[in-house]
Amino acid sequence: MKKVTVYITLKAGVLDPQGKAIQESLTALGYEGVTDTRVGKVIELNMEDGPDLEVRIKDMCNKLLANPVMEDYRFEVEEAVQA
Amino acid sequence: MKKVTVYITLKAGVLDPQGKAIQESLTALGYEGVTDTRVGKVIELNMEDGPDLEVRIKDMCNKLLANPVMEDYRFEVEEAVQA
């Protein structure tokens, strides 16, 4: 088993109202000098290993996990820790 | 300016219905062998540097960005790229 971590972020130029709300809240709480706040997602999953692992991950990202029109993704693969 | 990336994930043991939905959708799409799907957030922000930078980040996470009861967070600090 492999542990796969997928990071999904909005493409540059896409408006991020959630990030803007966080930034305004931080300023309201007194944290000055915070800019360019963007919010994305992390998806962690365990997958069976195989020679086509990276192909399967990219396929899953394009079909379900990310919206390729508005979002970029990158992923890391590491050995899953046995529970 | 520093670029700060905060990763927020649910603590182990906390139910993750969004992760479960993603896992079931992946199985329905034919991706077998996907388990332990968990969803978290990534928050990227630019902050002014200073000796208390890490303290400020932890403070922001505990007060606004993460829910310390249910979520864990970790962060990375790197040099901000000038736009």
Side-chain angles (χ1 to χ4, degrees):
Chain A
M1 294 291 278
K2 294 285 184 184
K3 182 182 170 186
V4 180
T5 310
V6 182
Y7 302 93
I8 299 166
T9 46
L10 282 172
K11 281 188 202 278
V14 177
L15 277 183
D16 184 352
Q18 196 186 356
K20 198 162 184 333
I22 288 176
Q23 187 173 315
E24 284 169 8
S25 301
L26 286 172
T27 307
L29 283 172
Y31 298 101
E32 300 291 338
V34 178
T35 57
D36 298 316
T37 310
R38 311 279 287 171
V39 182
K41 274 179 287 187
V42 206
I43 302 174
E44 295 172 341
L45 26 89
N46 284 350
M47 289 178 68
E48 272 165 33
D49 201 4
D52 62 339
L53 182 66
E54 298 219 346
V55 177
R56 273 186 290 151
I57 298 170
K58 283 182 191 168
D59 216 37
M60 279 165 35
C61 287
N62 286 316
K63 279 194 189 155
L64 182 78
L65 303 181
N67 171 354
V69 176
M70 293 170 61
E71 295 171 328
D72 288 323
Y73 63 83
R74 64 190 170 84
F75 56 85
E76 287 163 8
V77 178
E78 56 193 308
E79 212 52 57
V81 182
Q82 293 299 322
Chain B
M1 292 291 278
K2 294 285 184 183
K3 183 183 168 187
V4 180
T5 310
V6 183
Y7 302 93
I8 299 167
T9 46
L10 283 171
K11 282 188 201 278
V14 177
L15 277 182
D16 184 353
Q18 195 185 357
K20 198 162 184 332
I22 288 176
Q23 187 173 317
E24 284 169 9
S25 301
L26 286 172
T27 307
L29 283 172
Y31 299 101
E32 300 290 338
V34 178
T35 57
D36 298 317
T37 310
R38 309 280 286 171
V39 182
K41 275 179 287 186
V42 205
I43 301 174
E44 295 172 342
L45 26 90
N46 284 349
M47 288 177 68
E48 271 165 32
D49 201 4
D52 63 339
L53 182 66
E54 298 221 343
V55 176
R56 272 186 290 151
I57 298 170
K58 284 182 190 167
D59 215 38
M60 279 164 36
C61 288
N62 287 316
K63 279 195 188 154
L64 182 78
L65 303 181
N67 171 353
V69 177
M70 294 171 61
E71 294 170 329
D72 288 323
Y73 63 84
R74 65 190 169 83
F75 57 86
E76 287 164 8
V77 178
E78 57 193 307
E79 212 51 58
V81 182
Q82 293 300 319

